[in-house]
Amino acid sequence: MDVVVSEVGPRDGLQSLHRTMPTQAKICWIRALAAAGLSEIEVGSFVHPKLLPQMADAETVVRDAVTIPGLSVLALAPNMKGVMRAVQAGAHRITMPVSASHAHSLANIRMTCEEAIEEVERVCAYRDRLPAGQRPEVEIGISTAFGCTIQGVVQEDWVFEMADRLARAGADSIGLSDGVGYANPVQVRRMFKRLRAGLGDKAGGAHFHNTRGQGLANVVAALEAGVTTFDSSQGGIGGCPYSPGATGNIVTEDLVWMLEAMGLDTGIDLDRLAEARHVMAEALPGEPIYGHLPDVGAEKGFRYARRGPAPEGAGRAASAVACPPLPSAAE
Amino acid sequence: MDVVVSEVGPRDGLQSLHRTMPTQAKICWIRALAAAGLSEIEVGSFVHPKLLPQMADAETVVRDAVTIPGLSVLALAPNMKGVMRAVQAGAHRITMPVSASHAHSLANIRMTCEEAIEEVERVCAYRDRLPAGQRPEVEIGISTAFGCTIQGVVQEDWVFEMADRLARAGADSIGLSDGVGYANPVQVRRMFKRLRAGLGDKAGGAHFHNTRGQGLANVVAALEAGVTTFDSSQGGIGGCPYSPGATGNIVTEDLVWMLEAMGLDTGIDLDRLAEARHVMAEALPGEPIYGHLPDVGAEKGFRYARRGPAPEGAGRAASAVACPPLPSAAE
């Protein structure tokens, strides 16, 4: 695999919707995504269910997901309490949201930037005391790294100071996140180059939104800077409900097509990805779902980077598929 | 200006719609686009009105457009007959559609690739005999350069052989065109580098569609290869009417935002561009119109590359504007 496409739809996508996807549907969707070849899925968020009722079933979903062979299961947790729940459920990796914007940090996780760094430090110390085999990796995506809807410009030097401190706090990987769709390709190339120069192996992936249509353009720029992990969500779900058309995460389907067309192996099958999209869409009737590839499919002559030619139209929206059987681990 | 955004909506966009925009509305829209800072607009197509009734008023539209100070007026013409009409109307530049795919060439302009090259040669010879001051530039966008919906893969060597022969035939600029949305960023970078290496100053711009969501990603790749002219259409109009969501040209609004955010001056004002969008939308009620920027506007802290800061939300869809007054030249 040349590039890891890290699916965040079941977490970032679903938590942005007003409705709650039923637990069985989540499990079915995650299994379908894994069956399509997704090797990393962020499946839920361990926050207080009063704050995010859409994520109240995170334990159940994680417990099922970790039974899927070969799947790396990520869960988001903003603080020690959430991390402990995620560990108990068996998540392989914990993502912690840390903001470079002070205003956003307070609004999002009710901590200053300093407090968030200290929380990561505490979490890493806790993680290090866990028995071998139960120690999750701790991943940070520094959000508002490219700008913030509240404070506007975010100082780049501060972003890299944070990245450095988070690495020293024990985080395994520190990426840059643009959940507000402010980033442009020049900024992306510059900042990821600097991140990799500063952090080496601890430099993490990119989380881009497509708010201004620039999502895949930013991927191209990040690839040039050496980034090899990209978050995306199936159907681009997770857009801001207050801005029609303001799509959220970059669309997994379009991203996978583009990477494979560029000669970069993702390990993902476009037709099975279309099946997973169908599973998701069935569980979210009436919800806007984005993406170009599902409308048109792959072009005539399309070849997967490693797996060779695909039939014309590969990845076009699929018809009904059965949910993969649930293991007994699912509660 | 660092990058020229060449608006093709009034030609490529409108000719793909079933309806015909009224002549007065076209004139009003083109004036609004020019007022927003667009320095190049492809305003019409000189083909037989039976084939494209949407373009039957090309003479009138060109005659008006050439009265707009500072605007470079392009018109498409597939053959000598059309070129002569375009010259008579006063078009500054003629774009001729030439396909690298034999099958597409026959389907689109009823000529083989060889015949199309010969037609360009005849047109350039005719152009050279015109009195000084009336000689339009002849621009070619080699369509299906990145692949073809009929024949699939198009041999790259053949694309560059055509480019070479078109340059020797007298064309002033030869660009590469992906009207079917097949191109990917790696291919784009490779092919534009080769085009510039082969043709030098005669290497032309890029015409990308957003069919698979990759339009702006391809722009980033083309910029790296040194391309400085990009076609786009306001609202991305011109999508294939048979594929819902299969948007057509890259969206002018999103392109201008991205380029300016990247520090590349386009000379275009996002708020006045939003006014032009309003003019267009009013004349195309019910027609799907695309673009992300018009929904959300520019981000907090956005700065034009040369002109400095803009208010948050710049470029967000505008309310009604008056049509700029029509000059007496309009018939």
Side-chain angles (χ1 to χ4, degrees), chain B residues 7-28:
Chain B
E7 172 67 38
V8 299
R11 198 280 302 169
D12 195 7
L14 291 184
Q15 80 172 41
S16 309
L17 305 182
H18 289 305
R19 72 206 301 162
T20 298
M21 187 187 270
T23 307
Q24 289 299 82
K26 286 186 188 179
I27 288 173
C28 183

PDB file of all heavy atoms in Angstrom, chain B residues 7-28:
ATOM      1  N   GLU B   7     -12.506  32.372 -18.862  1.00  0.00           N
ATOM      2  CA  GLU B   7     -13.898  31.948 -18.635  1.00  0.00           C
ATOM      3  C   GLU B   7     -14.501  31.353 -19.907  1.00  0.00           C
ATOM      4  O   GLU B   7     -14.510  32.006 -20.946  1.00  0.00           O
ATOM      5  CB  GLU B   7     -14.714  33.160 -18.176  1.00  0.00           C
ATOM      6  CG  GLU B   7     -16.205  32.943 -18.081  1.00  0.00           C
ATOM      7  CD  GLU B   7     -16.609  31.961 -16.980  1.00  0.00           C
ATOM      8  OE1 GLU B   7     -15.996  31.971 -15.901  1.00  0.00           O
ATOM      9  OE2 GLU B   7     -17.541  31.170 -17.225  1.00  0.00           O
ATOM     10  N   VAL B   8     -15.006  30.118 -19.801  1.00  0.00           N
ATOM     11  CA  VAL B   8     -15.601  29.468 -20.970  1.00  0.00           C
ATOM     12  C   VAL B   8     -17.098  29.193 -20.795  1.00  0.00           C
ATOM     13  O   VAL B   8     -17.725  28.573 -21.654  1.00  0.00           O
ATOM     14  CB  VAL B   8     -14.871  28.146 -21.323  1.00  0.00           C
ATOM     15  CG1 VAL B   8     -13.412  28.404 -21.661  1.00  0.00           C
ATOM     16  CG2 VAL B   8     -14.995  27.117 -20.203  1.00  0.00           C
ATOM     17  N   GLY B   9     -17.671  29.697 -19.696  1.00  0.00           N
ATOM     18  CA  GLY B   9     -19.091  29.436 -19.437  1.00  0.00           C
ATOM     19  C   GLY B   9     -20.016  29.831 -20.586  1.00  0.00           C
ATOM     20  O   GLY B   9     -20.856  29.033 -21.012  1.00  0.00           O
ATOM     21  N   PRO B  10     -19.863  31.058 -21.118  1.00  0.00           N
ATOM     22  CA  PRO B  10     -20.785  31.472 -22.183  1.00  0.00           C
ATOM     23  C   PRO B  10     -20.677  30.623 -23.458  1.00  0.00           C
ATOM     24  O   PRO B  10     -21.588  30.637 -24.282  1.00  0.00           O
ATOM     25  CB  PRO B  10     -20.359  32.924 -22.451  1.00  0.00           C
ATOM     26  CG  PRO B  10     -19.734  33.379 -21.169  1.00  0.00           C
ATOM     27  CD  PRO B  10     -19.029  32.160 -20.624  1.00  0.00           C
ATOM     28  N   ARG B  11     -19.583  29.883 -23.597  1.00  0.00           N
ATOM     29  CA  ARG B  11     -19.478  28.990 -24.752  1.00  0.00           C
ATOM     30  C   ARG B  11     -19.636  27.526 -24.311  1.00  0.00           C
ATOM     31  O   ARG B  11     -20.662  26.898 -24.526  1.00  0.00           O
ATOM     32  CB  ARG B  11     -18.116  29.206 -25.451  1.00  0.00           C
ATOM     33  CG  ARG B  11     -18.048  28.679 -26.879  1.00  0.00           C
ATOM     34  CD  ARG B  11     -17.814  27.187 -27.016  1.00  0.00           C
ATOM     35  NE  ARG B  11     -16.577  26.745 -26.372  1.00  0.00           N
ATOM     36  CZ  ARG B  11     -16.278  25.471 -26.188  1.00  0.00           C
ATOM     37  NH1 ARG B  11     -17.116  24.510 -26.554  1.00  0.00           N
ATOM     38  NH2 ARG B  11     -15.154  25.125 -25.569  1.00  0.00           N
ATOM     39  N   ASP B  12     -18.650  26.983 -23.625  1.00  0.00           N
ATOM     40  CA  ASP B  12     -18.668  25.567 -23.268  1.00  0.00           C
ATOM     41  C   ASP B  12     -19.821  25.241 -22.328  1.00  0.00           C
ATOM     42  O   ASP B  12     -20.476  24.206 -22.453  1.00  0.00           O
ATOM     43  CB  ASP B  12     -17.328  25.203 -22.608  1.00  0.00           C
ATOM     44  CG  ASP B  12     -17.100  23.703 -22.521  1.00  0.00           C
ATOM     45  OD1 ASP B  12     -17.908  22.939 -23.077  1.00  0.00           O
ATOM     46  OD2 ASP B  12     -16.112  23.290 -21.902  1.00  0.00           O
ATOM     47  N   GLY B  13     -20.068  26.157 -21.392  1.00  0.00           N
ATOM     48  CA  GLY B  13     -21.165  25.932 -20.460  1.00  0.00           C
ATOM     49  C   GLY B  13     -22.509  25.954 -21.163  1.00  0.00           C
ATOM     50  O   GLY B  13     -23.258  24.983 -21.136  1.00  0.00           O
ATOM     51  N   LEU B  14     -22.793  27.062 -21.828  1.00  0.00           N
ATOM     52  CA  LEU B  14     -24.134  27.239 -22.410  1.00  0.00           C
ATOM     53  C   LEU B  14     -24.422  26.249 -23.535  1.00  0.00           C
ATOM     54  O   LEU B  14     -25.557  25.852 -23.734  1.00  0.00           O
ATOM     55  CB  LEU B  14     -24.300  28.674 -22.919  1.00  0.00           C
ATOM     56  CG  LEU B  14     -24.358  29.759 -21.838  1.00  0.00           C
ATOM     57  CD1 LEU B  14     -24.631  31.117 -22.483  1.00  0.00           C
ATOM     58  CD2 LEU B  14     -25.416  29.446 -20.789  1.00  0.00           C
ATOM     59  N   GLN B  15     -23.371  25.852 -24.276  1.00  0.00           N
ATOM     60  CA  GLN B  15     -23.680  24.974 -25.402  1.00  0.00           C
ATOM     61  C   GLN B  15     -24.022  23.557 -24.927  1.00  0.00           C
ATOM     62  O   GLN B  15     -24.558  22.764 -25.695  1.00  0.00           O
ATOM     63  CB  GLN B  15     -22.552  24.967 -26.437  1.00  0.00           C
ATOM     64  CG  GLN B  15     -21.381  24.092 -26.087  1.00  0.00           C
ATOM     65  CD  GLN B  15     -20.409  23.997 -27.263  1.00  0.00           C
ATOM     66  OE1 GLN B  15     -20.128  24.966 -27.952  1.00  0.00           O
ATOM     67  NE2 GLN B  15     -19.869  22.804 -27.497  1.00  0.00           N
ATOM     68  N   SER B  16     -23.713  23.257 -23.667  1.00  0.00           N
ATOM     69  CA  SER B  16     -24.037  21.928 -23.142  1.00  0.00           C
ATOM     70  C   SER B  16     -25.460  21.867 -22.581  1.00  0.00           C
ATOM     71  O   SER B  16     -25.948  20.792 -22.261  1.00  0.00           O
ATOM     72  CB  SER B  16     -23.070  21.558 -22.020  1.00  0.00           C
ATOM     73  OG  SER B  16     -21.743  21.734 -22.434  1.00  0.00           O
ATOM     74  N   LEU B  17     -26.091  23.030 -22.429  1.00  0.00           N
ATOM     75  CA  LEU B  17     -27.452  23.030 -21.884  1.00  0.00           C
ATOM     76  C   LEU B  17     -28.465  22.839 -23.007  1.00  0.00           C
ATOM     77  O   LEU B  17     -28.207  23.194 -24.160  1.00  0.00           O
ATOM     78  CB  LEU B  17     -27.727  24.354 -21.156  1.00  0.00           C
ATOM     79  CG  LEU B  17     -26.741  24.743 -20.046  1.00  0.00           C
ATOM     80  CD1 LEU B  17     -27.184  26.045 -19.388  1.00  0.00           C
ATOM     81  CD2 LEU B  17     -26.608  23.639 -19.006  1.00  0.00           C
ATOM     82  N   HIS B  18     -29.611  22.300 -22.656  1.00  0.00           N
ATOM     83  CA  HIS B  18     -30.645  22.124 -23.677  1.00  0.00           C
ATOM     84  C   HIS B  18     -31.296  23.459 -24.028  1.00  0.00           C
ATOM     85  O   HIS B  18     -31.682  23.700 -25.154  1.00  0.00           O
ATOM     86  CB  HIS B  18     -31.695  21.133 -23.180  1.00  0.00           C
ATOM     87  CG  HIS B  18     -31.185  19.730 -23.126  1.00  0.00           C
ATOM     88  ND1 HIS B  18     -30.636  19.111 -24.213  1.00  0.00           N
ATOM     89  CD2 HIS B  18     -31.097  18.845 -22.108  1.00  0.00           C
ATOM     90  CE1 HIS B  18     -30.252  17.887 -23.880  1.00  0.00           C
ATOM     91  NE2 HIS B  18     -30.502  17.713 -22.602  1.00  0.00           N
ATOM     92  N   ARG B  19     -31.405  24.314 -23.020  1.00  0.00           N
ATOM     93  CA  ARG B  19     -32.064  25.593 -23.245  1.00  0.00           C
ATOM     94  C   ARG B  19     -31.102  26.589 -23.900  1.00  0.00           C
ATOM     95  O   ARG B  19     -29.886  26.379 -23.933  1.00  0.00           O
ATOM     96  CB  ARG B  19     -32.518  26.172 -21.920  1.00  0.00           C
ATOM     97  CG  ARG B  19     -31.338  26.667 -21.110  1.00  0.00           C
ATOM     98  CD  ARG B  19     -31.587  26.656 -19.649  1.00  0.00           C
ATOM     99  NE  ARG B  19     -32.711  27.483 -19.295  1.00  0.00           N
ATOM    100  CZ  ARG B  19     -33.343  27.364 -18.127  1.00  0.00           C
ATOM    101  NH1 ARG B  19     -32.927  26.475 -17.236  1.00  0.00           N
ATOM    102  NH2 ARG B  19     -34.362  28.132 -17.844  1.00  0.00           N
ATOM    103  N   THR B  20     -31.635  27.672 -24.408  1.00  0.00           N
ATOM    104  CA  THR B  20     -30.808  28.737 -24.970  1.00  0.00           C
ATOM    105  C   THR B  20     -30.939  29.971 -24.090  1.00  0.00           C
ATOM    106  O   THR B  20     -32.052  30.430 -23.815  1.00  0.00           O
ATOM    107  CB  THR B  20     -31.267  29.067 -26.404  1.00  0.00           C
ATOM    108  OG1 THR B  20     -31.084  27.895 -27.211  1.00  0.00           O
ATOM    109  CG2 THR B  20     -30.452  30.214 -26.984  1.00  0.00           C
ATOM    110  N   MET B  21     -29.801  30.496 -23.641  1.00  0.00           N
ATOM    111  CA  MET B  21     -29.867  31.731 -22.865  1.00  0.00           C
ATOM    112  C   MET B  21     -30.154  32.884 -23.829  1.00  0.00           C
ATOM    113  O   MET B  21     -29.513  32.977 -24.880  1.00  0.00           O
ATOM    114  CB  MET B  21     -28.534  31.963 -22.127  1.00  0.00           C
ATOM    115  CG  MET B  21     -28.570  33.149 -21.165  1.00  0.00           C
ATOM    116  SD  MET B  21     -26.943  33.572 -20.443  1.00  0.00           S
ATOM    117  CE  MET B  21     -26.939  32.574 -18.966  1.00  0.00           C
ATOM    118  N   PRO B  22     -31.087  33.750 -23.489  1.00  0.00           N
ATOM    119  CA  PRO B  22     -31.382  34.874 -24.390  1.00  0.00           C
ATOM    120  C   PRO B  22     -30.140  35.753 -24.614  1.00  0.00           C
ATOM    121  O   PRO B  22     -29.319  35.929 -23.714  1.00  0.00           O
ATOM    122  CB  PRO B  22     -32.469  35.655 -23.640  1.00  0.00           C
ATOM    123  CG  PRO B  22     -33.039  34.695 -22.646  1.00  0.00           C
ATOM    124  CD  PRO B  22     -31.942  33.737 -22.299  1.00  0.00           C
ATOM    125  N   THR B  23     -30.052  36.289 -25.811  1.00  0.00           N
ATOM    126  CA  THR B  23     -28.875  37.079 -26.196  1.00  0.00           C
ATOM    127  C   THR B  23     -28.594  38.215 -25.208  1.00  0.00           C
ATOM    128  O   THR B  23     -27.453  38.427 -24.803  1.00  0.00           O
ATOM    129  CB  THR B  23     -29.088  37.660 -27.610  1.00  0.00           C
ATOM    130  OG1 THR B  23     -29.435  36.575 -28.468  1.00  0.00           O
ATOM    131  CG2 THR B  23     -27.827  38.321 -28.115  1.00  0.00           C
ATOM    132  N   GLN B  24     -29.641  38.912 -24.812  1.00  0.00           N
ATOM    133  CA  GLN B  24     -29.428  40.041 -23.898  1.00  0.00           C
ATOM    134  C   GLN B  24     -28.856  39.558 -22.569  1.00  0.00           C
ATOM    135  O   GLN B  24     -28.029  40.226 -21.957  1.00  0.00           O
ATOM    136  CB  GLN B  24     -30.747  40.786 -23.635  1.00  0.00           C
ATOM    137  CG  GLN B  24     -31.245  41.584 -24.827  1.00  0.00           C
ATOM    138  CD  GLN B  24     -30.267  42.673 -25.262  1.00  0.00           C
ATOM    139  OE1 GLN B  24     -29.302  42.390 -25.984  1.00  0.00           O
ATOM    140  NE2 GLN B  24     -30.495  43.896 -24.811  1.00  0.00           N
ATOM    141  N   ALA B  25     -29.300  38.407 -22.130  1.00  0.00           N
ATOM    142  CA  ALA B  25     -28.789  37.861 -20.874  1.00  0.00           C
ATOM    143  C   ALA B  25     -27.323  37.476 -21.027  1.00  0.00           C
ATOM    144  O   ALA B  25     -26.504  37.712 -20.126  1.00  0.00           O
ATOM    145  CB  ALA B  25     -29.620  36.655 -20.447  1.00  0.00           C
ATOM    146  N   LYS B  26     -26.971  36.886 -22.153  1.00  0.00           N
ATOM    147  CA  LYS B  26     -25.565  36.540 -22.386  1.00  0.00           C
ATOM    148  C   LYS B  26     -24.689  37.785 -22.312  1.00  0.00           C
ATOM    149  O   LYS B  26     -23.634  37.798 -21.675  1.00  0.00           O
ATOM    150  CB  LYS B  26     -25.397  35.919 -23.783  1.00  0.00           C
ATOM    151  CG  LYS B  26     -25.900  34.499 -23.937  1.00  0.00           C
ATOM    152  CD  LYS B  26     -25.524  33.981 -25.322  1.00  0.00           C
ATOM    153  CE  LYS B  26     -26.167  32.632 -25.588  1.00  0.00           C
ATOM    154  NZ  LYS B  26     -25.845  32.109 -26.926  1.00  0.00           N
ATOM    155  N   ILE B  27     -25.149  38.825 -22.990  1.00  0.00           N
ATOM    156  CA  ILE B  27     -24.372  40.072 -23.033  1.00  0.00           C
ATOM    157  C   ILE B  27     -24.219  40.639 -21.632  1.00  0.00           C
ATOM    158  O   ILE B  27     -23.134  41.068 -21.215  1.00  0.00           O
ATOM    159  CB  ILE B  27     -25.062  41.065 -24.002  1.00  0.00           C
ATOM    160  CG1 ILE B  27     -24.859  40.583 -25.454  1.00  0.00           C
ATOM    161  CG2 ILE B  27     -24.538  42.479 -23.798  1.00  0.00           C
ATOM    162  CD1 ILE B  27     -25.625  41.380 -26.495  1.00  0.00           C
ATOM    163  N   CYS B  28     -25.305  40.610 -20.902  1.00  0.00           N
ATOM    164  CA  CYS B  28     -25.290  41.126 -19.533  1.00  0.00           C
ATOM    165  C   CYS B  28     -24.313  40.313 -18.676  1.00  0.00           C
ATOM    166  O   CYS B  28     -23.517  40.874 -17.903  1.00  0.00           O
ATOM    167  CB  CYS B  28     -26.711  41.053 -18.983  1.00  0.00           C
ATOM    168  SG  CYS B  28     -26.889  41.722 -17.345  1.00  0.00           S
TER     169      CYS B  28
END
